[in-house]
């Protein structure tokens, strides 16, 4: 055993620690099954891999949640944020006293002047026919058609306009 | 020729045009010729033909005479031409997307009897900018005139609404208020005072 040059601490000589006879007995490769035994002894670790698209059916719940949230937001928004003046609709009540009529219809620009599209309900006990319509904001002209042959001007209208054919159309501005 | 007229009336549901329109309302040859001429002229002048179609449809449903239909169509065409002249004078060649609706409202108001000069003054400083509020203004003015209000008062009303840049609902509400006070017998000055505290800029 040698000693270090600076002190008398003994220094091992590796050649002495691992003599050749020992090195000659060592195997050059791992025994069969060694790798498998080592891997099996290691703990399981799941790698989190990022996927652009969720795997399996895991996308359904988030999608439904988003749709529900969007619908809730739309439902809670005030009307004027969603509707332009052109799309705003206003409920209008139409009424005619015609106790002897069998059928009373409403005909106007909102029916493209076609009869048979809007029929009033009635008559009630007092002989009134009524209809409630959601009309777009704007100007509308109309007449009642009684029993398919008699044109009647709405007596409750605020404004009338000659139709140029001998009748007076009722006008409503919404 | 009849099918062409029907197609012009119902451009969307052409398959059902005959069943819907001709149901007891055949158009005579005279009416067809008049309608064709009106549409041709309107197309040449780039005027909307939807209102001409609506006018014809109304006439057919009401089963009026051919002479009245022809007169009504020509009268409406003239109103459209007059309205177009007013807008072109005010806007020049600068047309906006709302011009068709404004033009239609203006033609209707002229057809109802309001003189074009009222609107020339109303639009003189528009510089081609016509908003949805202007359409409401025209319709409210027509509403007042049909309700028996004088042309001068209608002019004051429209100018005041324009200067205040009132939205549609407020304009219609103000017109209804004026109509009701007029029916109660109040004069223009009193109505103006109640509407706007008398602070109006008379033309």
């Amino acid at each position: 055993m040698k000693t270090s040059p600076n002190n008398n601490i003994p220094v091992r000589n590796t050649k002495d620690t691992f003599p050749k006879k020992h090195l000659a007995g060592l195997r050059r490769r791992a025994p069969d099954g060694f790798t498998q035994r080592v891997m099996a002894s290691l703990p399981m670790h799941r790698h989190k891999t990022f996927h652009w698209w969720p795997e399996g059916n895991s996308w359904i719940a988030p999608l439904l949640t988003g749709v529900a949230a969007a619908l809730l937001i739309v439902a809670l928004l005030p009307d004027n944020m969603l509707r332009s003046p052109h799309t705003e609709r206003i409920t209008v009540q139409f009424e005619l006293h015609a106790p002897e009529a069998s059928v009373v219809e409403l005909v106007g620009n909102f029916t493209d002047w076609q009869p048979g599209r809007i029929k009033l309900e009635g008559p009630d006990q007092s002989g009134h026919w009524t209809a409630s319509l959601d009309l777009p904001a704007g100007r509308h002209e109309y007449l009642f058609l009684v029993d398919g042959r008699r044109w009647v001007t709405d007596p409750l209208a605020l404004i009338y306009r000659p139709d140029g054919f001998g009748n007076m159309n009722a006008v409503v501005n919404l | 020729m009849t099918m062409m007229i029907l197609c012009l009336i119902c451009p969307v549901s052409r398959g059902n045009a005959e069943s819907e329109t001709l149901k007891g309302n055949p158009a005579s040859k005279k009416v067809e010729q008049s309608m064709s001429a009106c549409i041709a002229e309107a197309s040449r002048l780039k005027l909307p033909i939807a209102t001409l179609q609506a006018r014809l449809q109304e006439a057919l449903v009401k089963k009026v005479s051919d002479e009245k239909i022809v007169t009504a169509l020509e009268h409406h065409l003239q109103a459209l031409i007059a309205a177009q002249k007013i807008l072109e004078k005010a806007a020049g060649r600068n047309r906006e997307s709302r011009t068709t609706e404004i033009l239609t409202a203006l033609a209707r108001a002229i057809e109802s009897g309001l003189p074009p000069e009222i609107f020339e003054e109303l639009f003189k400083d528009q510089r081609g900018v016509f908003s949805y509020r202007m359409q409401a203004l025209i319709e409210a003015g027509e509403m007042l005139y049909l309700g028996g209000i004088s042309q001068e008062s209608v002019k004051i009303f429209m100018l005041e609404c324009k200067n205040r840049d009132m939205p549609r609902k407020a304009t219609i509400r103000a017109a209804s208020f004026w109509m009701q006070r007029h029916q109660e017998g109040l004069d223009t000055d009193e109505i103006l005072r109640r509407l706007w505290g008398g602070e109006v800029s008379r033309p």
Side-chain angles (χ1 to χ4, degrees):
Chain A
M1 193 174 282
K2 291 181 180 179
T3 59
S4 64
N6 296 326
N7 50 35
N8 293 324
I9 298 173
V11 176
R12 283 181 179 271
N13 187 340
T14 52
K15 287 187 181 178
D16 296 333
T17 305
F18 298 99
K20 282 187 181 177
K21 64 177 179 179
H22 290 161
L23 289 175
L26 289 175
R27 304 177 74 164
R28 292 181 184 273
R29 61 178 181 174
D32 292 336
F34 175 79
T35 303
Q36 289 81 356
R37 288 197 297 276
V38 168
M39 293 306 293
S41 68
L42 291 174
M44 288 296 293
H45 178 68
R46 302 188 80 171
H47 293 277
K48 285 189 178 178
T49 307
F50 179 75
H51 293 283
W52 285 106
W53 189 255
E55 295 178 355
N57 295 330
S58 61
W59 58 271
I60 295 177
L63 178 65
L64 290 176
T65 304
V67 170
L71 287 173
L72 186 62
I73 289 170
V74 168
L76 293 176
L77 278 175
D79 282 347
N80 58 6
M81 286 187 68
L82 294 173
R83 295 179 178 176
S84 71
H86 291 285
T87 58
E88 183 184 4
R89 299 187 80 84
I90 298 166
T91 303
V92 183
Q93 183 84 9
F94 294 90
E95 185 180 317
L96 179 69
H97 182 251
E100 295 177 359
S102 303
V103 177
V104 178
E105 299 173 73
L106 193 55
V107 183
N109 63 295
F110 42 84
T111 68
D112 296 324
W113 289 104
Q114 293 278 5
R117 291 189 180 178
I118 301 174
K119 292 188 179 179
L120 277 69
E121 291 181 359
D124 60 12
Q125 290 181 351
S126 58
H128 283 89
W129 298 74
T130 57
S132 185
L133 296 180
D134 285 341
L135 295 177
R139 180 190 179 284
H140 303 283
E141 284 188 47
Y142 64 95
L143 280 169
F144 293 117
L145 180 60
V146 177
D147 295 332
R149 51 184 171 81
R150 188 163 59 97
W151 293 100
V152 176
T153 303
D154 185 358
L156 301 177
L158 191 62
I159 312 160
Y160 302 100
R161 183 175 186 261
D163 65 356
F165 311 128
N167 300 304
M168 292 293 279
N169 287 348
V171 180
V172 59
N173 257 319
L174 304 176
Chain B
M1 181 66 79
T2 304
M3 281 309 298
M4 186 186 81
I5 298 291
L6 294 173
C7 288
L8 290 169
I9 293 170
C10 305
V12 177
S13 55
R14 294 186 185 201
N16 294 328
E18 187 168 0
S19 60
E20 285 187 19
T21 309
L22 261 193
K23 202 173 177 182
N25 302 311
S28 69
K29 192 172 180 183
K30 186 178 181 182
V31 170
E32 290 172 9
Q33 287 174 345
S34 174
M35 184 63 178
S36 296
C38 286
I39 287 182
E41 183 67 7
S43 298
R44 187 183 71 81
L45 296 171
K46 295 180 184 173
L47 293 168
I49 64 173
T51 50
L52 282 167
Q53 294 168 345
R55 204 80 178 97
L56 176 62
Q57 181 61 43
E58 182 186 355
L60 292 174
V61 165
K62 291 180 178 178
K63 297 180 183 177
V64 300
S65 65
D66 291 349
E67 290 72 25
K68 285 185 179 178
I69 295 177
V70 170
T71 303
L73 290 175
E74 291 173 355
H75 190 214
H76 188 68
L77 177 63
Q78 293 306 314
L80 283 170
I81 293 171
Q84 187 184 48
K85 283 181 182 171
I86 293 171
L87 290 178
E88 281 185 349
K89 197 174 176 182
R93 295 296 172 189
N94 181 17
R95 291 193 172 200
E96 291 199 348
S97 58
R98 291 205 195 285
T99 302
T100 300
E101 292 160 346
I102 302 269
L103 183 132
T104 303
L106 195 51
R108 239 180 347 234
I110 292 171
E111 214 175 353
S112 293
L114 277 170
E117 296 75 37
I118 283 183
F119 300 102
E120 285 174 1
E121 187 166 346
L122 190 69
F123 296 148
K124 66 181 178 183
D125 56 354
Q126 282 302 112
R127 296 193 190 107
V129 179
F130 295 101
S131 66
Y132 183 68
R133 294 183 179 189
M134 292 300 291
Q135 181 184 346
L137 204 64
I138 297 166
E139 290 172 352
E142 182 203 6
M143 173 180 160
L144 287 176
Y145 186 70
L146 290 171
I149 310 299
S150 68
Q151 290 179 10
E152 185 63 30
S153 295
V154 169
K155 190 174 169 183
I156 293 171
F157 174 84
M158 289 196 293
L159 280 171
E160 200 57 40
C161 288
K162 177 193 164 188
N163 292 338
R164 292 171 185 267
D165 195 24
M166 288 170 59
R168 179 183 179 85
K169 278 187 180 176
T171 301
I172 299 303
R173 216 173 288 142
S176 298
F177 179 89
W178 193 307
M179 284 275 302
Q180 287 162 3
R181 300 292 89 77
H182 172 77
Q183 287 172 358
E184 290 170 5
L186 270 63
D187 61 14
T188 300
D189 288 337
E190 179 61 24
I191 295 172
L192 285 169
R193 192 186 65 78
R194 293 193 185 195
L195 257 179
W196 295 303
E199 297 175 6
V200 294
S201 50
R202 282 178 183 265

